[in-house]
Amino acid sequence: MRRGWTPPAKLCNQLTQHKNNGANRLRATIKDVSREAGVSIKTVSRVLNNERYVGAATREKVLAVVERLNFRPSMAARTLAGSRSYQVALICDNPSPYYVYEMQVGIRERCERDGVRMLAQPYDRESPQLERDIGALIDTMPLDGLILTPPVTDYPAVLARLAERGMRFVRVSPSTEPMLSPSVHIDNHAAAAEMARHLIGLGHRRIGFIAGHPSYAASGQRLAGFAAALAEAGIAVDAALLRTGTYDFQSGAAEADALLSLAEPPTAIFASSDDMAAGALATAHRRGLRVPDDVSIAGFDDTALASVVWPALTTIRQPVREMASNAADLLLSGDPASSERRTIAHMLVVRQSTAAPRG
């Protein structure tokens, strides 16, 4: 045997042992945190689970050690130690990727505070198996609760299935049975009315409105708010100026084309989402119209898209991330028997896409 030569089998064993030793050194345990912080394992557990009866100074000391040791509690161990799974699911079906992203970020940020994992489950609202699919999710996956977004938030069959299973859930922007569960929302009626007043205040009288998909309660609420503001100003609602989209770019472009093809086209278009407003903007550009000189265009949501199109969109800010965080907070720390409703403030954001009508 050559001097200094190590047999392959022995070398593999040495490498494996070295790897395991390194992993053990890096993977801190709750006992390590307890020893370094000088507190009991039970106290560390209470801090990690965000429970009461732990002093502020002790909590800060434990969290500092957790951060320094890069301690990450085992999800399986936490589940076995109690009745919680430390997992929640987001049920979403929305054509806007911006809305879905903000919803996920808001929920995840709040969940991280409690060491809870968020599972995002996209579903097709048109699927005849929607109720069965969600039922299968809660039957096969250990969950502490669900967050429902529109339009599933108002589906009776889904809500009944969750009630049968005794599953906790929080709804985002529900319009039916407000006492059924905790919920968060903005005042869609008031927000749409505020945008309509802005356009009327600029001098517009022929205002086209592109509503969202009828399966979303917000669609009707925003249309009602728009109509109320027109009535308040003594302007009759012209059915020819009302169109229905599906909250996506393509429908906004198509419905704006129909409005701008009228013998007497509108001087302003208010779309019920930024995606549809961006579609309307593209149609105006394609037709050689200048925005806002020839036609003003406004949206709703204030997603990232609103500030990157040209001209930047005047819109209603729906703070989706804040709504999502509040929904997660209601699920994680709220009273299970509560039907608390949190109203999140909206805001009119005026940018370059709206101005007084020409002439």
Side-chain angles (χ1 to χ4, degrees):
M1 183 181 294
R2 296 191 303 273
R3 175 177 291 183
W5 181 78
T6 303
K10 184 176 181 181
L11 178 61
C12 288
N13 289 336
Q14 290 174 351
L15 289 174
T16 301
Q17 184 64 38
H18 176 75
K19 180 180 179 182
N20 289 338
N21 288 341
N24 289 337
R25 286 197 301 271
L26 292 174
R27 190 179 299 117
T29 68
I30 194 170
K31 290 182 180 179
D32 296 326
V33 176
S34 169
R35 183 181 62 254
E36 291 289 324
V39 300
S40 68
I41 291 177
K42 181 63 176 177
T43 298
V44 175
S45 178
R46 283 175 173 165
V47 171
L48 294 174
N49 293 326
N50 201 28
E51 295 178 9
R52 295 176 294 175
Y53 313 119
V54 180
T58 300
R59 186 181 300 276
E60 289 179 9
K61 180 168 63 174
V62 170
L63 291 176
V65 173
V66 166
E67 182 68 23
R68 178 161 54 83
L69 297 182
N70 193 33
F71 173 68
R72 296 294 181 267
S74 163
M75 192 68 69
R78 295 174 76 193
T79 300
L80 290 172
S83 59
R84 295 183 60 189
S85 70
Y86 296 93
Q87 295 187 131
V88 299
L90 164 65
I91 306 298
C92 56
D93 177 19
N94 193 288
S96 171
Y98 302 96
Y99 179 94
V100 174
Y101 173 77
E102 290 294 310
M103 184 63 61
Q104 290 180 354
V105 170
I107 294 172
R108 188 176 67 247
E109 288 177 347
R110 175 60 185 86
C111 284
E112 285 179 348
R113 284 168 43 192
D114 285 10
V116 173
R117 178 182 291 125
M118 180 203 73
L119 307 175
Q121 292 292 320
Y123 286 98
D124 179 6
R125 64 179 178 273
E126 305 294 346
S127 170
Q129 298 190 132
L130 178 62
E131 175 198 352
R132 189 185 312 166
D133 290 343
I134 294 178
L137 171 69
I138 62 179
D139 286 342
T140 59
M141 189 73 106
L143 296 171
D144 290 334
L146 294 95
I147 297 173
L148 308 180
T149 62
V152 179
T153 192
D154 284 318
Y155 281 14
V158 172
L159 301 178
R161 177 66 67 96
L162 295 179
E164 287 173 8
R165 297 294 198 279
M167 175 63 64
R168 288 192 65 191
F169 60 93
V170 173
R171 295 182 293 165
V172 177
S173 302
S175 66
T176 60
E177 301 188 70
M179 303 304 291
L180 184 63
S181 72
S183 62
V184 297
H185 68 285
I186 67 166
D187 190 334
N188 283 290
H189 185 284
E194 186 171 355
M195 177 60 79
R197 292 190 193 100
H198 165 71
L199 296 172
I200 293 167
L202 290 173
H204 294 282
R205 293 298 179 268
R206 284 188 62 77
I207 305 172
F209 183 81
I210 305 176
H213 195 286
S215 65
Y216 290 77
S219 300
Q221 294 164 357
R222 293 173 190 177
L223 174 58
F226 170 76
L230 262 60
E232 179 184 284
I235 302 172
V237 175
D238 185 345
L241 296 177
L242 303 180
R243 308 293 299 184
T244 300
T246 52
Y247 283 123
D248 57 9
F249 179 95
Q250 291 77 10
S251 67
E255 300 307 330
D257 197 45
L259 287 169
L260 294 172
S261 296
L262 293 172
E264 189 180 354
T267 61
I269 295 175
F270 175 20
S272 291
S273 76
D274 290 340
D275 290 75
M276 292 196 297
L281 193 61
T283 291
H285 290 325
R286 179 177 58 79
R287 296 174 70 104
L289 298 175
R290 294 172 300 168
V291 179
D293 296 342
D294 298 322
V295 60
S296 286
I297 295 176
F300 199 112
D301 288 330
D302 196 27
T303 62
L305 180 63
S307 58
V308 298
V309 295
W310 181 256
L313 287 171
T314 292
T315 187
I316 291 291
R317 178 172 296 157
Q318 177 177 217
V320 176
R321 189 177 299 194
E322 184 181 353
M323 294 169 68
S325 178
N326 273 268
D329 186 62
L330 284 169
L331 187 62
L332 297 175
S333 62
D335 179 356
S338 167
S339 56
E340 179 182 352
R341 301 190 73 201
R342 294 185 184 176
T343 302
I344 311 300
H346 66 271
M347 180 186 299
L348 171 66
V349 180
V350 179
R351 296 195 179 99
Q352 293 81 26
S353 67
T354 56
R358 187 173 55 185

